[in-house]
Amino acid sequence: MNAALLEMDTVSHQKIVFCLDTITQLDRDTFLSLASHKADNNAADLFIIDIARCLLTGDVQALRQLVGRSGFIKQPYLVLLKRACQYLCAERAQDVIKTVVELEATGISNPLCYVLAAEAQAMNHQYTEAFHNFSTASNLFACHEHLIIRSRHCLQHIEATRYSLALEKGAIEYLQDQRFDSAIIAPLASSLIKYKYQLDNRAQTNILDASRYDDVKQDVFFLEILKRALLPDPDIELFLIQLRKHLLDTFAQTEKLALADAAVLCALALQNDLNEHVHFVSTNESNAVNLIHEKIKDTLNKPSATAKQLATQVLLTSLYEPLSEQPYCAQLLNYAINDWPTDIQPCLERILYQHEEELEFANAIQPLTTINNAVSLLVGSQYEANPYPRWHDISKLENSAGYAKHNGINKPPFIKAKHFDKPLKILIAGCGTGKHPIALALKFPNVHITAIDLSRRSLAYATMKATQLNLSNIRFYQADILELSDLKDRFNVIECMGVLHHMQDPIAGLQILKGLLVKNGVMKLGLYSEIARKEIAGFREENSREGTKAAIRQMRHEVIAAQREKYDNCLKSNDFYSTSMCRDLLFHAQEHTFTLTELETILTKNELLFKGFTFNTAETFHKFTLSHGSHTKMLDLRAWHQFETRNPQTFAGMYQFFTQIYS
């Protein structure tokens, strides 16, 4: 069959269909081998093979080169196909879609049309439509790995507007793929669950009855996402609190739970471990849990006590407080993991044994500097109490382009430096529990990362995770940015995201970091926006509570129950939904905010060039371009200030941007 493909002399419709049908059946190795076997580089019959190779592997550069040298293509259908590819390379999404419609009107069944349409839809931020087309294409081609990845990337940008079985199926497959970070599809998962269970506080339909509980017990998707990611939605939180109370009440009445309840127990236990037990606890629940604590202590004091006797009670209490904080925790740890019922062992590994493992890693953390500044000590103590953030999954997909090319720092507007072509030394200044530096180490395995933080407990979590992932290109140290002046190392890139604004003097920290860069080195910074945090600033002014777990629980309970409109932006923030993140969001010991006009002055005074913002998608850039009529203002902070004034939640997380030292 392959030989027949390569021997085609003319390009009839029948031969086009034959070629396309053949390509769909080839695996990656065979397909790529065929695509590279060219007896004649100008042969029209190989044009489809080359187009398919580019589209199925995501090689846009090769596609651009291909259509640029394909003037010999005259057959009308192939001219249309070429035109669609040209539009795709030029990022003219609407024209791609129009041309795909023309291709389909010819009557030729071309599975590449699904790929072209999907790429154009993703470019247009129509991620639901793109997901469906990538999914359809991945089922049509044997060489489909890139299409699967693209479909799962689309899921990361979707928030459902109704329940969709197809999206749920896609989300389940996403969760089953260990290369992806479950937390990124939390908005999709939350929206699907909300519509599926009709969880709308205003409609008062989120009451848990026996039928609905039975649905939850059998809901593979719901239970799996609970184990893996926070669900940032107040109505889902109320539903989870009801589920928790249902299990507690059932046990109080019968002193046992059904075998089928174990899956729900474990899912809720892992969810509460992730959110650090941030959910509100009523007095009645607290009293009931205290009775269970006493029963556990009584059982543990019996010489014949077994882990299996304790399992249900231990899991129930873990829905309300960390097991590591219980006075009997050491006695529980005397049991081996295999002593517990098999179906709950993975859960207990995370919520009990892993916490003990963290303490061991904490003792091994090496200090890089002393910590003397009063504010640094205060901030460090906050993160010792609440390591930020607690996370489970992480993206494991490598990026072959490398850090410099992926982030565009090896081309204008950046000043080109020779060291960008070599393995980069990167400093992560303020790494928390390590998710960001570990993600970089996995994505770009040829970089060498030094990650520092004030908090030993945060670093312990980071080190444990890096060890589990067998990473060798990252080192963690306890250090204060203010004490780094004497450090001998110099770095090609420094990333300091969400850290400087928590220092006593952010500018002093910036100047020290700048001194650690090589010539033409690059910094990526993250700073709070005064405009975006107006609501949060109002809360901080009115609030008189300390940032304790009890205070955070009570405050959140009041907001969810009666102040949703007032704190709408807080409720939309992922950071509202765990103890450490909520404390960081609303109760931080030290915080500064900035405007873009202030940022422009700061960068100028410190001889740093603004090199552009970064966003998760290109949608904000598109809106900015529309508002200013062209791309020419992308590096104009005053233009961005005007844009932010009109769109105050543009930088709801932070200003995230690159800077570079003057050459």
Side-chain angles (χ1 to χ4, degrees):
M1 186 179 290
N2 295 350
L5 267 177
L6 293 170
E7 289 170 3
M8 289 192 298
D9 295 320
T10 60
V11 187
S12 65
H13 276 205
Q14 291 83 357
K15 288 185 177 180
I16 290 172
V17 172
F18 172 74
C19 183
L20 289 167
D21 286 345
T22 302
I23 288 170
T24 62
Q25 301 169 38
L26 303 177
D27 61 30
R28 178 181 174 84
D29 291 341
T30 306
F31 174 77
L32 294 179
S33 172
L34 173 64
S36 63
H37 180 64
K38 301 177 186 295
D40 179 1
N41 286 334
N42 290 326
D45 54 346
L46 291 175
F47 180 68
I48 298 175
I49 300 172
D50 283 336
I51 290 287
R53 173 178 58 82
C54 296
L55 291 175
L56 297 181
T57 59
D59 194 339
V60 178
Q61 184 176 351
L63 184 63
R64 187 175 289 112
Q65 293 171 350
L66 173 63
V67 296
R69 63 171 188 263
S70 57
F72 60 91
I73 295 297
K74 304 298 181 186
Q75 204 276 348
Y77 183 87
L78 295 185
V79 170
L80 270 181
L81 182 61
K82 171 185 171 181
R83 187 181 305 156
C85 293
Q86 287 173 321
Y87 288 145
L88 185 65
C89 293
E91 299 184 5
R92 293 168 57 177
Q94 289 303 116
D95 289 324
V96 175
I97 298 295
K98 290 177 182 177
T99 310
V100 166
V101 172
E102 292 182 59
L103 285 165
E104 291 174 339
T106 65
I108 293 178
S109 178
N110 184 351
L112 291 175
C113 286
Y114 290 107
V115 185
L116 286 163
E119 292 289 1
Q121 288 159 342
M123 201 178 291
N124 256 358
H125 319 297
Q126 298 170 295
Y127 294 109
T128 302
E129 295 86 347
F131 163 74
H132 290 305
N133 278 317
F134 277 127
S135 298
T136 300
S138 70
N139 290 325
L140 295 174
F141 288 99
C143 177
H144 59 193
E145 184 60 24
H146 172 72
L147 302 177
I148 290 172
I149 291 172
R150 291 290 285 137
S151 72
R152 290 178 187 159
H153 281 155
C154 288
L155 291 173
Q156 296 175 346
H157 303 289
I158 296 173
E159 189 168 332
T161 54
R162 58 183 175 80
Y163 175 70
S164 163
L165 184 61
L167 285 176
E168 181 176 302
K169 180 177 179 290
I172 290 172
E173 291 173 350
Y174 180 104
L175 293 174
Q176 291 169 341
D177 192 333
Q178 297 300 313
R179 299 172 299 176
F180 289 88
D181 182 355
S182 303
I184 304 179
I185 63 162
L188 171 62
S190 297
S191 57
L192 287 172
I193 290 164
K194 203 166 177 180
Y195 285 112
K196 187 175 187 178
Y197 290 94
Q198 298 178 307
L199 302 180
D200 188 337
N201 183 60
R202 291 164 296 181
Q204 293 297 308
T205 57
N206 56 339
I207 297 171
L208 183 68
D209 55 24
S211 173
R212 185 167 288 191
Y213 179 69
D214 286 340
D215 290 341
V216 170
K217 284 195 296 187
Q218 300 171 48
D219 194 332
V220 174
F221 172 57
F222 191 9
L223 298 181
E224 189 60 29
I225 194 68
L226 285 176
K227 299 174 190 176
R228 310 271 286 277
L230 298 175
L231 295 175
D233 182 273
D235 292 319
I236 291 178
E237 178 168 326
L238 293 176
F239 190 56
L240 295 179
I241 289 172
Q242 290 183 43
L243 284 172
R244 183 183 66 179
K245 186 175 184 298
H246 172 80
L247 291 168
L248 183 65
D249 290 346
T250 301
F251 183 81
Q253 294 166 11
T254 64
E255 293 205 354
K256 64 180 180 180
L257 290 173
L259 187 63
D261 293 319
V264 182
L265 257 179
C266 287
L268 286 175
L270 291 167
Q271 175 66 198
N272 282 285
D273 183 65
L274 278 173
N275 68 41
E276 300 151 297
H277 303 86
V278 77
H279 293 169
F280 180 73
V281 180
S282 69
T283 302
N284 288 341
E285 285 176 285
S286 182
N287 292 337
V289 171
N290 286 336
L291 290 175
I292 298 175
H293 282 314
E294 294 305 314
K295 290 179 181 179
I296 291 173
K297 292 175 189 175
D298 290 343
T299 303
L300 284 168
N301 287 333
K302 297 175 182 177
S304 60
T306 66
K308 292 181 179 179
Q309 290 174 305
L310 294 161
T312 299
Q313 296 172 352
V314 166
L315 283 177
L316 270 173
T317 61
S318 77
L319 306 187
Y320 292 88
E321 297 289 346
L323 293 176
S324 58
E325 294 180 6
Q326 304 311 319
Y328 51 78
C329 179
Q331 290 173 276
L332 296 179
L333 289 167
N334 286 333
Y335 293 107
I337 187 66
N338 292 331
D339 292 335
W340 300 91
T342 304
D343 55 345
I344 71 168
Q345 286 177 15
C347 175
L348 285 173
E349 180 66 42
R350 271 176 57 188
I351 68 173
L352 177 61
Y353 294 91
Q354 185 172 286
H355 283 264
E356 182 69 11
E357 189 179 357
E358 286 175 48
L359 297 178
E360 295 174 8
F361 277 103
N363 293 330
I365 297 296
Q366 296 294 314
L368 188 63
T369 72
T370 57
I371 301 174
N372 301 309
N373 179 268
V375 171
S376 297
L377 290 167
L378 183 63
V379 172
S381 67
Q382 172 176 326
Y383 293 123
E384 283 297 299
N386 298 108
Y388 170 86
R390 197 160 189 88
W391 55 278
H392 178 57
D393 290 350
I394 197 164
S395 175
K396 302 179 183 71
L397 289 170
E398 285 188 22
N399 188 302
S400 59
Y403 182 97
K405 186 175 180 180
H406 175 75
N407 288 289
I409 65 173
N410 62 337
K411 62 183 181 181
F414 290 85
I415 302 163
K416 181 68 182 291
K418 292 181 179 179
H419 56 76
F420 288 159
D421 297 326
K422 300 175 182 177
L424 300 178
K425 290 177 64 177
I426 299 177
L427 172 67
I428 307 297
C431 67
T433 51
K435 186 168 187 179
H436 179 58
I438 289 173
L440 286 181
L442 288 165
K443 191 171 187 177
F444 308 109
N446 65 333
V447 301
H448 303 289
I449 298 173
T450 299
I452 64 168
D453 201 82
L454 294 169
S455 165
R456 187 177 289 269
R457 277 196 64 195
S458 295
L459 289 163
Y461 193 85
T463 306
M464 179 184 70
K465 287 290 193 179
T467 302
Q468 291 171 353
L469 292 163
N470 297 314
L471 290 172
S472 59
N473 59 336
I474 185 168
R475 299 172 297 166
F476 293 98
Y477 297 103
Q478 187 180 30
D480 185 356
I481 291 172
L482 292 174
E483 304 291 338
L484 290 176
S485 297
D486 295 331
L487 192 67
K488 303 300 182 187
D489 277 343
R490 291 296 179 267
F491 301 92
N492 308 109
V493 177
I494 295 176
E495 294 200 6
C496 187
M497 308 299 293
V499 177
L500 293 176
H501 52 229
H502 291 315
M503 297 178 69
Q504 182 176 16
D505 184 351
I507 309 307
L510 177 65
Q511 290 168 344
I512 288 171
L513 292 177
K514 177 191 169 188
L516 298 176
L517 285 170
V518 300
K519 182 181 178 182
N520 293 332
V522 168
M523 268 199 288
K524 186 179 182 183
L525 301 175
L527 296 170
Y528 281 154
S529 160
E530 180 181 298
I531 293 174
R533 290 179 74 83
K534 184 177 180 180
E535 182 182 292
I536 293 169
F539 172 87
R540 289 173 65 86
E541 288 175 9
E542 295 174 8
N543 177 58
S544 59
R545 296 183 175 108
E546 296 291 327
T548 63
K549 183 189 291 185
I552 290 171
R553 280 178 171 176
Q554 182 63 37
M555 176 277 299
R556 295 179 74 263
H557 174 65
E558 293 169 4
V559 169
I560 290 173
Q563 297 177 298
R564 293 195 185 192
E565 187 173 340
K566 183 177 180 180
Y567 294 112
D568 179 61
N569 290 323
C570 290
L571 286 164
K572 290 175 180 175
S573 169
N574 289 344
D575 287 358
F576 188 76
Y577 296 90
S578 86
T579 300
S580 66
M581 293 195 296
C582 189
R583 186 176 180 185
D584 191 84
L585 178 73
L586 298 173
F587 295 87
H588 204 285
Q590 176 76 17
E591 180 172 311
H592 299 274
T593 58
F594 302 86
T595 65
L596 289 175
T597 51
E598 290 172 338
L599 179 59
E600 183 179 41
T601 300
I602 290 167
L603 295 180
T604 300
K605 285 185 177 180
N606 288 278
E607 298 184 323
L608 289 166
L609 298 167
F610 175 70
K611 294 297 182 179
F613 290 111
T614 65
F615 298 97
N616 289 333
T617 72
E619 193 167 0
T620 302
F621 290 126
H622 179 66
K623 289 179 179 178
F624 178 84
T625 300
L626 287 177
S627 71
H628 286 84
S630 72
H631 293 274
T632 58
K633 297 283 188 179
M634 282 293 177
L635 300 182
D636 186 337
L637 284 170
R638 295 188 183 187
W640 276 104
H641 176 70
Q642 294 170 2
F643 180 81
E644 185 186 16
T645 302
R646 295 191 298 269
N647 304 276
Q649 287 302 302
T650 300
F651 300 98
M654 284 181 290
Y655 299 126
Q656 297 187 45
F657 58 96
F658 279 104
T659 69
Q660 191 170 26
I661 298 177
Y662 289 166
S663 60

